[in-house]
Amino acid sequence: MKTNIKNANMPDSYSEKDNSARTLQRDALTFLFAITGITALAFMFNGILANPDVNITMFYIVGIIVVARYTNGYVWGFLFSLLSVMCVNYFFTYPYFTLNLSLEGYPITFAAMFVIYIITSAMTSSMKEQSRILAKQEKELMEIQKEKMRANLLRAISHDLRTPLTGIIGNSSSYLKMEKELSDADKHDIVENINEDAEWLLSMVENLLSVTRINGDTAKVNKSMESVDEVVASAVTRFKKQYPQAQIKIRLPDDVVMAMMDPLLIDQVITNILQNAQVHASSTKPLELTVTDEPSSVSFCVRDYGVGISQEKIETIFDGVGYRRDRDTSADGYKGMGIGLSICKTIINAHGGKINARNHGDGSEFYFSLPKETEE
């Protein structure tokens, strides 16, 4: 047992030693590059500077700042300060290539450079600490956002799954209990209702699966350069299969537009917004899907000509709380888009874009933008 415990602890010990060795090696290389680079630069300018001993000292002061910034602890900076004064004395002060510690002003020069190092080290240490605190706060904020996203999704799931499941259970129970009394038309209606609820459940499952493509640690997605036209065409085709009777007008830029994205996720966003408009808007005219090529982004807009959205709901429409249009006043009278719209926001945020909704004169529109990026 003792041997096993010892072996189990060995990887952590080795890892700490490796980290310490790498840190020491990096600091030593930084120190060597700084002292040799500054000395070489000083030799280059030695013959053209008016007061080489004074001006070259400034080069080494810059070196002190570099060493203090990119090394850990105070040892390397102290050594650099000491070696800098000796280099100035040995290489650039008459008599050259002779170390003369009795030169006039030498103690003052050494004391000044040491004070500069202390001040610089204190400032850089403070900067490093502030950077560490900011990184920690950013990580905590990301965790809070992730927890908020999970809570919103759970609320949306609890509402949106209940409605179709209740419908499927109710219709199937009615069919089983009253099969002999039901007419063929009634049976057809019941089966059709069950099919619609099942398709709605399938749509929600696809939405939930799409979230798994988002990195859980960084809340980012794997993007590639994709044609916007092809992604829009794929989303519209999928939407038309589910709603063959739907009418939609598509406006695309004349030129082919390329953007960095996860095509499956953006396809899901467009499909969700189109489904939301088709199911909830009661649009009196065909839906409109417009893509705009802007200098720094690509914008997508889905416009309907229906009932619109109440002003108090616009701010929280993407929070995943079982959103329903104003025409629906019953608790479960209509299937909400809580999951769909919440996931739309999650996907667009993971792409570094923005998504929003607003009313216009004859209905509402949902719009989002993706930043233009270059493929690395």
Side-chain angles (χ1 to χ4, degrees):
M1 290 296 294
K2 292 182 178 180
T3 303
N4 292 336
I5 294 174
K6 182 178 180 180
N7 291 336
N9 292 332
M10 283 176 64
D12 293 336
S13 177
Y14 283 146
S15 178
E16 292 177 359
K17 290 181 180 179
D18 289 342
N19 290 334
S20 299
R22 283 195 295 268
T23 301
L24 181 62
Q25 185 180 16
R26 184 193 62 195
D27 291 347
L29 289 175
T30 301
F31 173 82
L32 291 175
F33 280 132
I35 194 66
T36 55
I38 294 296
T39 303
L41 189 64
F43 271 112
M44 291 174 57
F45 286 91
N46 185 36
I48 60 176
L49 295 175
N51 298 310
D53 54 343
V54 176
N55 291 309
I56 287 174
T57 301
M58 301 302 296
F59 290 174
Y60 284 98
I61 291 176
V62 173
I64 291 175
I65 297 175
V66 172
V67 171
R69 172 65 180 85
Y70 293 103
T71 59
N72 296 291
Y74 297 92
V75 176
W76 297 106
F78 176 79
L79 291 176
F80 189 91
S81 300
L82 179 62
L83 195 55
S84 296
V85 176
M86 297 179 67
C87 285
V88 172
N89 182 286
Y90 186 81
F91 293 116
F92 307 108
T93 304
Y94 185 84
Y96 301 112
F97 301 101
T98 301
L99 191 61
N100 188 354
L101 302 180
S102 62
L103 289 174
E104 182 180 356
Y106 182 84
I108 297 176
T109 302
F110 176 78
M113 294 188 72
F114 187 73
V115 169
I116 290 172
Y117 163 69
I118 294 297
I119 296 174
T120 303
S121 296
M123 293 176 62
T124 53
S125 297
S126 177
M127 291 172 59
K128 291 178 182 178
E129 182 64 19
Q130 290 178 0
S131 299
R132 187 188 66 80
I133 293 174
L134 289 175
K136 182 179 179 181
Q137 291 176 345
E138 184 178 356
K139 184 177 180 180
E140 291 176 351
L141 180 61
M142 183 178 294
E143 289 296 326
I144 292 173
Q145 291 175 344
K146 288 165 62 177
E147 288 299 324
K148 182 179 179 182
M149 182 188 74
R150 293 190 187 100
N152 288 338
L153 287 176
L154 286 174
R155 284 197 297 269
I157 291 170
S158 64
H159 179 278
D160 284 3
L161 289 182
R162 181 177 59 183
T163 301
L165 284 175
T166 301
I168 291 173
I169 293 172
N171 282 300
S172 59
S173 298
S174 298
Y175 189 96
L176 292 173
K177 293 178 180 179
M178 304 174 59
E179 181 178 0
K180 295 181 179 180
E181 291 83 3
L182 293 173
S183 64
D184 291 341
D186 292 334
K187 292 179 180 179
H188 181 271
D189 290 340
I190 290 176
V191 174
E192 186 176 20
N193 290 334
I194 292 175
N195 181 68
E196 290 179 356
D197 288 332
E199 288 183 351
W200 193 265
L201 280 174
L202 177 61
S203 176
M204 285 189 287
V205 170
E206 289 177 349
N207 275 310
L208 294 173
L209 288 175
S210 67
V211 178
T212 63
R213 295 177 61 87
I214 300 176
N215 189 300
D217 296 327
T218 63
K220 299 297 181 183
V221 294
N222 294 323
K223 295 181 284 187
S224 59
M225 192 65 71
E226 303 290 340
S227 170
V228 173
D229 294 14
E230 293 181 1
V231 175
V232 170
S234 174
V236 172
T237 300
R238 188 148 66 104
F239 169 70
K240 290 290 287 183
K241 286 181 179 179
Q242 188 172 4
Y243 301 98
Q245 77 284 2
Q247 296 181 346
I248 179 172
K249 293 181 179 179
I250 304 173
R251 297 186 178 93
L252 298 172
D254 295 333
D255 298 328
V256 176
V257 179
M258 305 295 292
M260 292 291 290
M261 67 176 79
D262 184 317
L264 296 179
L265 292 182
I266 299 303
D267 182 322
Q268 187 71 49
V269 170
I270 297 173
T271 302
N272 284 356
I273 296 176
L274 288 173
Q275 288 175 348
N276 176 71
Q278 178 66 22
V279 172
H280 296 285
S282 300
S283 185
T284 58
K285 299 179 181 179
L287 302 177
E288 296 178 0
L289 171 57
T290 304
V291 177
T292 305
D293 184 14
E294 300 177 353
S296 59
S297 63
V298 180
S299 298
F300 301 75
C301 179
V302 175
R303 171 176 285 204
D304 64 61
Y305 295 87
V307 296
I309 311 167
S310 62
Q311 195 62 37
E312 63 270 14
K313 292 182 180 178
I314 289 181
E315 297 297 328
T316 59
I317 199 170
F318 295 100
D319 289 346
V321 289
Y323 159 68
R324 298 181 300 278
R325 295 278 179 160
D326 290 342
R327 67 172 182 157
D328 178 30
T329 55
S330 65
D332 289 313
Y334 217 79
K335 300 181 185 73
M337 280 297 294
I339 292 177
L341 293 180
S342 177
I343 289 177
C344 286
K345 181 178 180 180
T346 301
I347 292 173
I348 298 303
N349 286 345
H351 279 78
K354 297 180 180 179
I355 187 169
N356 215 325
R358 62 191 172 199
N359 289 317
H360 59 87
D362 299 314
S364 62
E365 59 185 17
F366 288 77
Y367 56 97
F368 66 91
S369 62
L370 298 176
K372 282 187 175 179
E373 302 175 22
T374 57
E375 189 170 15
E376 297 180 359

